[in-house]
Amino acid sequence: MKLNDLKNITEEFKSSDLMPVLFTGHGSPMNGIEENEFTDYWKKLGQEIVKPTAVLCISAHWLTKGTKVTAMVSPKTIHDFGGFPQALFDVEYPAPGNPELAKETAGLIKTTHVGLDHEWGLDHGTWSVVKQMYPDADIPVLQLSIDYGKPAGYHYALAQELSELRKKGVLIIGSGNMVHNLRMVAWDKVQEPEFGYDWAIELNSKFKELILDGNHDPLIHYEKLGIAAQYAIPTPDHYYPLLYSLGLQNKKDSVSIFNDKAVMGSLTMTSIRIG
């Protein structure tokens, strides 16, 4: 799809008709090929949301020095994991890229230089979700990297510069997990649905309260939320995508919660739809 085609399609979008923004708890890479309550909801979203002109995903699994956006014609499917069944490594998600949209996206961001990347592709934080939403792989998919040397407030502010894309029919997805501590996973509770440690449930509830109230400042300064936050966010890689999604929220947007469950004690799949 060329940029002119994108402009033609998005003429139908008025400034008040913004594409929704999602934050998805993506959880295990196996969600890319399994059918469960989480993937069922991703499929439902793919049917409910007007077909996007493109998808831009901020995945917890692309951490860089500086900010980059994928700009290749045909992004490769990245299998960035180990120890899973061969069927997962066999997955290919051949969605096209959109180099012209990548250039436009980079140009929207004025606070930093955004590099046009031709090496990365689509990691499992992106394709495990988008594949379930759009199995035909007929929508251009781009990724925006996370500059891992920058603080939370930087990412929240950078996201605000992408708001114009919502007017152009681009579906922006932050993909990570609000609560994500792999070192404390309760492997003996894998088959116990909705098991969560007390601190995971406590902080997840606090996150939802703040999100539904539109109170983003404590979420940006999450390290002040006490000992539970230290357990829930030992590293911020899976948390930063949430801030990108929240940074795109405006005052008129509705906010709803979905896939709101803990898994294996120290992870939550809790996700949000904005707009």
Side-chain angles (χ1 to χ4, degrees):
M1 181 182 292
K2 296 182 178 180
L3 188 56
N4 286 339
D5 298 328
L6 181 66
K7 289 179 179 177
N8 291 336
I9 293 173
T10 56
E11 282 180 357
E12 299 178 3
F13 278 83
K14 299 177 182 179
S15 60
S16 59
D17 295 331
L18 301 178
M19 282 296 287
V21 177
L22 303 177
F23 169 76
T24 56
H26 64 244
S28 166
M30 291 298 291
N31 288 322
I33 59 174
E34 291 182 342
E35 295 185 4
N36 54 50
E37 61 183 308
F38 307 125
T39 65
D40 285 348
Y41 204 96
W42 297 343
K43 292 174 184 177
K44 179 182 176 183
L45 287 172
Q47 296 170 352
E48 287 182 351
I49 296 172
V50 63
K51 187 174 182 179
T53 55
V55 173
L56 176 66
C57 190
I58 301 93
S59 165
H61 294 280
W62 193 22
L63 309 176
T64 56
K65 183 177 181 180
T67 302
K68 301 179 182 181
V69 62
T70 54
M72 65 285 288
V73 173
S74 301
K76 63 186 176 183
T77 304
I78 301 173
H79 304 92
D80 51 332
F81 41 71
F84 289 93
Q86 184 60 42
L88 196 60
F89 291 91
D90 291 340
V91 170
E92 294 293 331
Y93 186 67
N98 188 324
E100 293 185 57
L101 179 59
K103 291 178 184 177
E104 183 180 5
T105 300
L108 289 173
I109 298 174
K110 307 299 183 184
T111 54
T112 189
H113 170 74
V114 178
L116 299 177
D117 180 84
H118 297 275
E119 301 296 329
W120 187 247
L122 306 179
D123 62 56
H124 82 268
T126 294
W127 63 255
S128 65
V129 177
V130 180
K131 175 180 177 291
Q132 297 281 16
M133 293 180 68
Y134 305 112
D136 293 337
D138 58 346
I139 299 171
V141 181
L142 287 70
Q143 282 197 212
L144 184 74
S145 75
I146 296 172
D147 185 346
Y148 204 47
K150 300 295 185 182
Y154 174 89
H155 300 290
Y156 181 87
L158 189 148
Q160 295 173 327
E161 298 184 76
L162 299 171
S163 60
E164 191 69 20
L165 294 177
R166 295 185 65 190
K167 300 177 184 179
K168 297 177 179 291
V170 178
L171 177 63
I172 302 175
I173 302 175
S175 179
N177 292 95
M178 291 189 199
V179 174
H180 185 268
N181 189 329
L182 293 183
R183 292 184 179 181
M184 297 186 71
V185 164
W187 295 108
D188 60 330
K189 302 292 186 180
V190 171
Q191 302 302 323
E192 188 172 325
E194 300 186 55
F195 172 75
Y197 294 119
D198 289 346
W199 53 264
I201 301 300
E202 173 191 337
L203 196 65
N204 199 61
S205 296
K206 185 64 176 178
F207 284 157
K208 289 186 292 181
E209 175 188 336
L210 293 169
I211 289 167
L212 293 174
D213 286 346
N215 187 3
H216 295 174
D217 190 67
L219 293 162
I220 295 169
H221 300 96
Y222 65 90
E223 68 280 357
K224 297 181 181 180
L225 293 176
I227 189 68
Q230 296 178 30
Y231 284 124
I233 313 172
T235 58
D237 45 316
H238 277 68
Y239 183 77
Y240 282 162
L242 171 65
L243 298 181
Y244 278 85
S245 300
L246 294 176
L248 285 156
Q249 181 181 349
N250 66 40
K251 293 181 179 179
K252 294 183 180 180
D253 281 324
S254 60
V255 180
S256 58
I257 305 289
F258 63 95
N259 284 353
D260 183 22
K261 290 190 176 181
V263 292
M264 297 187 293
S266 61
L267 305 173
T268 61
M269 295 292 289
T270 305
S271 305
I272 61 173
R273 174 176 173 168
I274 297 170

